[in-house]
Amino acid sequence: QLQLQESGPGLVKPSETLSLTCTVSGGSISSSSYYWGWIRQPPGKGLEWIGSIYYSGSTYYNPSLKSRVTISVDTSKNQFSLKLSSVTAADTAVYYCARHMIVVVPIAFDIWGQGTMVTVSS
Amino acid sequence: QSALTQPASVSGSPGQSITISCTGTSSDVGGYNYVSWYQQHPGKAPKLMIYEVSNRPSGVPDRFSGSKSGNTASLTISGLQAEDEADYYCSSYTSSSTLVVFGGGTKLTVL
């Protein structure tokens, strides 16, 4: 049974870089049928897609965050990672990693991690 | 403001049916059959309930169904149960550079 688990600091200072890792277990990240994505949810608000990556390293990013986001993959560790630079309080959110189903394009997130709360504060 | 428009809240009694709408444009909901729906209980991760407008992942009860007409997609829950009380989000592929858009979410209350 495939599982995803986010890890990383729960507190980041303003202007610094938020770094999270998602570890995939029970299956391979190198599947041709999926991208792997990051989604966030500010407290009391809705979902926002951040970006997704294929095992080959091909990426899609949300244009609203693209200038600050880097998503990378490490197939040897079955992990993918998120870096968000120059964070502000507006980046405070629960961050989820998820498996992103592909048809011709990525279409839906079918398996999610439990989420990790990241607070931006000095 | 979210790219897809959902009602903020809906309610229904146990055993009844409810429908949640999700309105977009011809660049997303209306242009592609790539609408998905997620259920989220408080403090939990979202769970995929419907993908490609009307397909249910394994394990999702057939009380949950999806449809689409024009630029509006709908999630219908029949035979409401107390455990269905949750937030529901729609999402769609979009041909814009954004690629993935979500609705603002709908809080379902089971009376």
Side-chain angles (χ1 to χ4, degrees):
Chain A
Q1 180 180 352
L2 193 83
Q3 293 184 320
L4 287 75
Q5 178 68 57
E6 305 89 351
S7 59
L11 181 64
V12 181
K13 290 182 168 57
S15 81
E16 295 189 343
T17 296
L18 178 160
S19 296
L20 296 174
T21 295
C22 182
T23 300
V24 179
S25 59
S28 175
I29 202 170
S30 300
S31 169
S32 60
S33 301
Y34 303 99
Y35 270 67
W36 304 87
W38 289 96
I39 305 99
R40 70 180 183 179
Q41 184 173 36
K45 296 187 178 181
L47 301 168
E48 180 181 33
W49 172 69
I50 299 170
S52 298
I53 190 166
Y54 198 54
Y55 75 92
S56 64
S58 174
T59 53
Y60 290 105
Y61 294 132
N62 186 328
S64 68
L65 298 168
K66 187 174 182 177
S67 63
R68 299 193 292 130
V69 171
T70 301
I71 297 177
S72 58
V73 63
D74 186 336
T75 56
S76 67
K77 295 182 179 179
N78 233 29
Q79 294 177 334
F80 61 107
S81 298
L82 168 69
K83 291 188 184 299
L84 180 64
S85 64
S86 305
V87 297
T88 69
D91 296 310
T92 293
V94 175
Y95 285 76
Y96 296 100
C97 61
R99 190 172 75 171
H100 204 169
M101 299 166 60
I102 303 172
V103 175
V104 177
V105 292
I107 61 162
F109 300 99
D110 65 338
I111 300 177
W112 294 64
Q114 65 183 25
T116 187
M117 181 69 199
V118 179
T119 301
V120 178
S121 175
S122 56
Chain B
Q1 188 168 352
S2 301
L4 304 180
T5 301
Q6 298 180 234
S9 64
V10 298
S11 63
S13 299
Q16 288 185 332
S17 295
I18 63 95
T19 296
I20 300 172
S21 62
C22 171
T23 301
T25 69
S26 58
S27 295
D28 40 64
V29 174
Y32 306 90
N33 290 325
Y34 296 144
V35 176
S36 52
W37 290 91
Y38 302 87
Q39 176 192 65
Q40 187 179 35
H41 289 109
K44 300 296 186 181
K47 175 186 177 183
L48 180 66
M49 304 301 284
I50 297 287
Y51 66 98
E52 290 183 284
V53 177
S54 60
N55 291 333
R56 280 187 309 275
S58 174
V60 173
D62 59 7
R63 301 186 295 104
F64 292 83
S65 62
S67 62
K68 189 185 83 166
S69 177
N71 293 337
T72 298
S74 299
L75 173 70
T76 298
I77 308 174
S78 59
L80 266 180
Q81 298 182 3
E83 68 227 43
D84 299 332
E85 185 163 292
D87 293 326
Y88 290 84
Y89 293 90
C90 64
S91 180
S92 175
Y93 167 79
T94 172
S95 58
S96 77
S97 57
T98 311
L99 187 70
V100 177
V101 288
F102 283 99
T106 298
K107 182 176 180 59
L108 169 61
T109 301
V110 180
L111 302 171

